mmCIF file of all heavy atoms in Angstrom:
data_model
loop_
_atom_site.group_PDB
_atom_site.id
_atom_site.type_symbol
_atom_site.label_atom_id
_atom_site.label_comp_id
_atom_site.label_asym_id
_atom_site.label_seq_id
_atom_site.Cartn_x
_atom_site.Cartn_y
_atom_site.Cartn_z
ATOM 1 N N ALA C 884 2.497 1.199 14.534
ATOM 2 C CA ALA C 884 2.875 2.391 13.842
ATOM 3 C C ALA C 884 2.947 3.430 14.804
ATOM 4 O O ALA C 884 3.747 4.356 14.732
ATOM 5 C CB ALA C 884 1.799 2.713 12.872
ATOM 6 N N LEU C 885 2.097 3.437 15.826
ATOM 7 C CA LEU C 885 2.150 4.474 17.020
ATOM 8 C C LEU C 885 2.883 4.167 18.213
ATOM 9 O O LEU C 885 2.947 4.744 19.232
ATOM 10 C CB LEU C 885 0.619 4.754 17.446
ATOM 11 C CG LEU C 885 -0.229 5.207 16.341
ATOM 12 C CD1 LEU C 885 -1.621 5.193 16.755
ATOM 13 C CD2 LEU C 885 0.132 6.722 15.877
ATOM 14 N N SER C 886 3.773 3.080 18.051
ATOM 15 C CA SER C 886 4.619 2.643 19.116
ATOM 16 C C SER C 886 3.915 2.245 20.378
ATOM 17 O O SER C 886 4.355 2.693 21.573
ATOM 18 C CB SER C 886 5.702 3.705 19.374
ATOM 19 O OG SER C 886 6.511 3.858 18.189
ATOM 20 N N MET C 887 2.780 1.605 20.383
ATOM 21 C CA MET C 887 1.998 1.223 21.476
ATOM 22 C C MET C 887 2.354 -0.176 21.919
ATOM 23 O O MET C 887 2.560 -1.046 21.091
ATOM 24 C CB MET C 887 0.556 1.315 21.289
ATOM 25 C CG MET C 887 0.049 2.788 21.060
ATOM 26 S SD MET C 887 -1.793 2.832 20.663
ATOM 27 C CE MET C 887 -2.367 2.276 22.435
ATOM 28 N N ASP C 888 2.410 -0.348 23.271
ATOM 29 C CA ASP C 888 2.760 -1.734 23.752
ATOM 30 C C ASP C 888 1.608 -2.809 23.632
ATOM 31 O O ASP C 888 1.677 -3.862 23.594
ATOM 32 C CB ASP C 888 3.121 -1.678 25.153
ATOM 33 C CG ASP C 888 4.498 -0.868 25.390
ATOM 34 O OD1 ASP C 888 5.210 -0.894 24.518
ATOM 35 O OD2 ASP C 888 4.614 -0.228 26.427
ATOM 36 N N SER C 889 0.349 -2.114 23.567
ATOM 37 C CA SER C 889 -0.890 -2.927 23.494
ATOM 38 C C SER C 889 -1.930 -2.369 22.559
ATOM 39 O O SER C 889 -1.715 -1.186 22.129
ATOM 40 C CB SER C 889 -1.580 -3.283 24.855
ATOM 41 O OG SER C 889 -2.049 -2.056 25.283
ATOM 42 N N MET C 890 -2.877 -3.145 22.114
ATOM 43 C CA MET C 890 -3.930 -2.680 21.259
ATOM 44 C C MET C 890 -5.053 -1.870 22.012
ATOM 45 O O MET C 890 -5.878 -1.388 21.388
ATOM 46 C CB MET C 890 -4.571 -3.759 20.436
ATOM 47 C CG MET C 890 -3.605 -4.430 19.421
ATOM 48 S SD MET C 890 -4.332 -5.737 18.386
ATOM 49 C CE MET C 890 -4.458 -6.960 19.751
ATOM 50 N N SER C 891 -4.996 -1.886 23.269
ATOM 51 C CA SER C 891 -6.009 -1.315 24.125
ATOM 52 C C SER C 891 -6.043 0.177 23.854
ATOM 53 O O SER C 891 -5.038 0.944 24.008
ATOM 54 C CB SER C 891 -5.739 -1.484 25.583
ATOM 55 O OG SER C 891 -6.656 -0.824 26.420
ATOM 56 N N GLY C 892 -7.186 0.732 23.521
ATOM 57 C CA GLY C 892 -7.277 2.204 23.327
ATOM 58 C C GLY C 892 -6.545 2.852 21.981
ATOM 59 O O GLY C 892 -6.498 3.948 21.816
ATOM 60 N N VAL C 893 -6.293 1.822 21.097
ATOM 61 C CA VAL C 893 -5.560 2.331 19.919
ATOM 62 C C VAL C 893 -6.575 3.177 18.987
ATOM 63 O O VAL C 893 -6.092 4.199 18.340
ATOM 64 C CB VAL C 893 -4.915 1.050 18.971
ATOM 65 C CG1 VAL C 893 -6.168 0.196 18.516
ATOM 66 C CG2 VAL C 893 -4.117 1.595 17.941
ATOM 67 N N VAL C 894 -7.745 2.715 18.866
ATOM 68 C CA VAL C 894 -8.674 3.538 18.059
ATOM 69 C C VAL C 894 -8.888 4.946 18.624
ATOM 70 O O VAL C 894 -8.946 5.995 17.995
ATOM 71 C CB VAL C 894 -9.964 2.799 17.881
ATOM 72 C CG1 VAL C 894 -11.002 3.779 17.127
ATOM 73 C CG2 VAL C 894 -9.928 1.533 17.146
ATOM 74 N N ARG C 895 -9.005 5.062 19.937
ATOM 75 C CA ARG C 895 -9.144 6.313 20.564
ATOM 76 C C ARG C 895 -7.859 7.170 20.411
ATOM 77 O O ARG C 895 -8.013 8.437 20.173
ATOM 78 C CB ARG C 895 -9.446 6.160 22.093
ATOM 79 C CG ARG C 895 -9.590 7.374 22.893
ATOM 80 C CD ARG C 895 -10.092 7.155 24.283
ATOM 81 N NE ARG C 895 -9.071 6.453 25.189
ATOM 82 C CZ ARG C 895 -9.091 5.247 25.540
ATOM 83 N NH1 ARG C 895 -10.134 4.425 25.095
ATOM 84 N NH2 ARG C 895 -8.133 4.726 26.071
ATOM 85 N N LEU C 896 -6.724 6.498 20.432
ATOM 86 C CA LEU C 896 -5.507 7.211 20.246
ATOM 87 C C LEU C 896 -5.440 7.829 18.837
ATOM 88 O O LEU C 896 -5.006 8.972 18.663
ATOM 89 C CB LEU C 896 -4.278 6.477 20.532
ATOM 90 C CG LEU C 896 -2.962 6.961 20.307
ATOM 91 C CD1 LEU C 896 -2.692 8.198 21.238
ATOM 92 C CD2 LEU C 896 -1.806 6.004 20.616
ATOM 93 N N VAL C 897 -5.795 7.108 17.815
ATOM 94 C CA VAL C 897 -5.842 7.531 16.481
ATOM 95 C C VAL C 897 -6.789 8.774 16.335
ATOM 96 O O VAL C 897 -6.370 9.712 15.725
ATOM 97 C CB VAL C 897 -6.278 6.396 15.497
ATOM 98 C CG1 VAL C 897 -6.631 6.946 14.129
ATOM 99 C CG2 VAL C 897 -5.331 5.335 15.483
#
Side-chain angles (χ1 to χ4, degrees):
L885 296 171
S886 297
M887 295 181 66
D888 295 328
S889 68
M890 292 181 289
S891 177
V893 66
V894 176
R895 182 174 64 254
L896 178 59
V897 168

